[in-house]
Amino acid sequence: MQNKIDERIRNIGFFQKTLVRPEFGSICGVILVIIFFLLIASDNGMFNPDGIRNWTVVSAQFAIIAVGACLLMIAGEFDLSVGSMIGFSGMVLAIGSIHFGLPVWQSIILAYILSIALGGVNGFIVIKTKLPSFIVTLAFLYILRGLTIFMSVTTTSKTILSGMKPLADADWLAPIFGGEVLTGLFQWMGDKGWIEVFKRGVFEGQPVVSGVPNLILWAIGLVIFGHWLLTRTRFGNWIYAAGGDASAAKYAGVPVNRVKILLFMFTAFCACTFAMCQVTEFGSAGADRGLLKEFEAIICVVIGGALLTGGYGSVIGAGLGAIMFGVVQQGLFFSGAEASLFRVFLGGLLLVAVITNTYIRRLIVGTGD
Amino acid sequence: MSEPIIKLDNIKKNFGSVIALEGVSFDVNPGECHCLLGDNGAGKSTFIKTMSGVHPPSSGEIYFQGEKVTFNSPHDAISKGIATVYQDLGMIPLMSVSRNFFLGNEPTKGWPVKLFDHETANKITEDEMSKFQILLRSPEQAVGTLSGGERQTVAIARAVYFGAKVLILDEPTSALGVKQTANVLDTIDKMRTKGIAVVFITHNVRHAYSVGDRFTVLDRGKTIATANKNEVSPDKLQNLMAGGKELPSLED
Ligand SMILES: Nc1ncnc2c1ncn2[C@@H]1O[C@H](COP(=O)(O)OP(=O)(O)OP(=O)(O)O)[C@@H](O)[C@H]1O
Ligand SMILES: [Mg+2]
């Protein structure tokens, strides 16, 4: 019906069309915070190679868990056990490799299997009891954290295990998480004098930033995968539907329960990936690792334009939310601001994001809502 | 008479302590429009939901083309060519019209990974909607921005598109304008001539009488009457629909 034009179509301007894209707010936000910190913190080295590496790593960590939280939130559920899952899977890796002397790659696979299975249990309980996932995963937040501490104290009588670095470096699988790429390029740039190199010590002549941490590749890869899954596949359509109206989705024959359980497992996969990168890169695991990460992931997702009520959101947005989060956190650190201000800033940011999102939703479904 | 495409035998359904259906039997033949009538709360919607796989019946049997079947999910029913317009529509407001239209039956393309073919989905959605004289601003606009009647039309168009064998319509015209209602009745008629079985729930006696071949009246979870069109006048039907307890059973 291309030739007939409905006279009631008001021309929705380009501006408004852009505004209803879920990523729009977070793109503006990222640009704003980067300009802000370029103005106040660039003297302090935030935008040196070393500084950039610092905040991109932090952002990438947020992004990894935000992708899982984002898809799950669009499907209408939350996982508050992400932080405890990070502590748990990191500890499984460290205890397995250090205490029980398993090869690192076996411990990594074990950590993945256990955490994905626990994610499945989370999802299964939510589906079977029909309780809000908020409550079920809150219970898991405590259960998993307690189990992690218990497990590490009873096997090793410690809550922090270090000494992973040499084991990880010697393993074939671990460098996928803790290693770096493009080291040759960075060395070459260092030799050319384009980037800073160490002037003395054992690392003399080596560039300060020796490469791109694989953690960043994981983050980019997961964001691309999540975005592709959500927007290009049938499964993505089911994710939107499960969160938009689960009973309507069931009427249409969408396997809502399967979708949700799989996404709980995927969220656990993301948390485990976070932990594997953290433990192999920093060489230690702690039973208290990942504290509050579930909320940070949810904040990234909400800043990224997703609705807390489900059915709407964007993985790219969540990735941008993670960048914003990382830039603000490290930017305040670089500019020497009082650390407590970070929380104030974060709270403010969250409030602005939620208010904007509510407004955007009115634009999408009309004002009748 | 031809063999019924779907036949439900002595269906009972309880929701906890609530008895919604107390043993309802029903069948519909290819090319027939069987109207399901009755007061509010009679159990009509609950009954068609056992036919479309939403509610597994507490007891009773379902036969599809003569074979006993159990529908474990709406997907099982849809894949047999049974499509339904639910009273509460089953549309997802935040999703686009075309995503809603193909929800659960997404067209795919590509290899080895099959991707959602948005282009095809948009095109078919636009075509199917225009058959019902609804011009979409865009198939990508959210269903939440449509009017109540437009939403209902999307649900009908979707069911007509996927209802290869049985089309179930639960009060599909409750929000429609005169033109669109006429269109829906006309569509029911067309589907019937194509050999599709139609189950039509309505509270409007004129609508029922104009397209129905057979009428079944439910009351408080029980069948109180079944009649062919030639056995019942519109006045009688009107009486039946209002409860009809005072009337003798028209069962033959
Ligand atoms: N999910 C449910 N849980 C509990 N009771 C239910 C449920 N669904 C329906 N009922 C009950 O079953 C009975 C029949 O409801 P149903 O929706 O089938 O009526 P109906 O004939 O479609 O009415 P209407 O004409 O108003 O649409 C009602 O008393 C209702 O309260
Ligand atoms: Mg009803």
Side-chain angles (χ1 to χ4, degrees), chain A residues 1-2 4-6 8-10 228 230-238 240-254 307 309-312 361 363-366, chain B residues 49 52 54 73-75 78 86 88-95 98-100 102-108 113-118 126-127 130 135-137 142 144-145 150 158:
Chain A
M1 305 301 286
Q2 236 62 18
K4 258 202 210 161
I5 292 168
D6 187 338
R8 289 188 310 162
I9 300 175
R10 192 163 54 93
W228 172 84
L230 187 63
T231 58
R232 297 263 173 272
T233 68
R234 306 179 64 185
F235 192 79
N237 208 35
W238 299 352
Y240 282 122
D245 185 336
S247 72
K250 277 183 191 156
Y251 286 175
V254 173
L307 290 174
T309 42
Y312 186 74
R361 176 165 64 168
L363 284 184
I364 310 166
V365 298
Chain B
K49 281 180 183 170
S52 66
V54 171
S73 83
H75 189 79
I78 294 168
Y86 296 95
D88 49 3
L89 299 186
M91 290 277 130
I92 298 170
L94 283 165
M95 287 169 71
S98 70
R99 277 181 178 270
N100 264 290
F102 285 96
L103 185 57
N105 298 288
E106 294 83 357
T108 53
V113 189
K114 288 190 180 142
L115 298 181
F116 187 165
D117 185 354
H118 287 286
E126 216 155 27
D127 290 352
S130 64
L135 278 180
L136 292 175
R137 269 155 249 186
T145 61
E150 286 170 334
R158 172 171 77 174

Side-chain angles (χ1 to χ4, degrees), chain B residues 5-6 8 26-29 32-37 44 47-49 51 82-85 165-172 188 191-192 196-202 211 214 216:
Chain B
I5 179 123
I6 187 164
L8 292 91
F26 181 94
D27 60 65
V28 59
N29 301 316
E32 180 193 40
C33 174
H34 193 158
C35 295
L36 196 55
L37 312 167
K44 306 178 297 295
F47 185 69
I48 60 107
K49 281 180 183 170
M51 210 184 307
I82 305 173
T84 310
V85 176
K165 293 194 173 127
V166 181
L167 182 61
I168 303 173
L169 305 160
D170 192 351
E171 300 191 34
I188 292 177
M191 301 308 273
R192 204 171 40 170
I196 289 166
V198 182
V199 178
F200 181 34
I201 298 179
T202 177
V211 291
R214 214 166 13 141
T216 288

Side-chain angles (χ1 to χ4, degrees), chain B residues 15 18 20 38-47 55 87 170-171 203:
Chain B
F15 294 106
V18 181
D39 255 349
N40 295 127
K44 306 178 297 295
S45 298
T46 309
F47 185 69
H55 293 320
Q87 197 170 9
D170 192 351
E171 300 191 34
H203 287 291

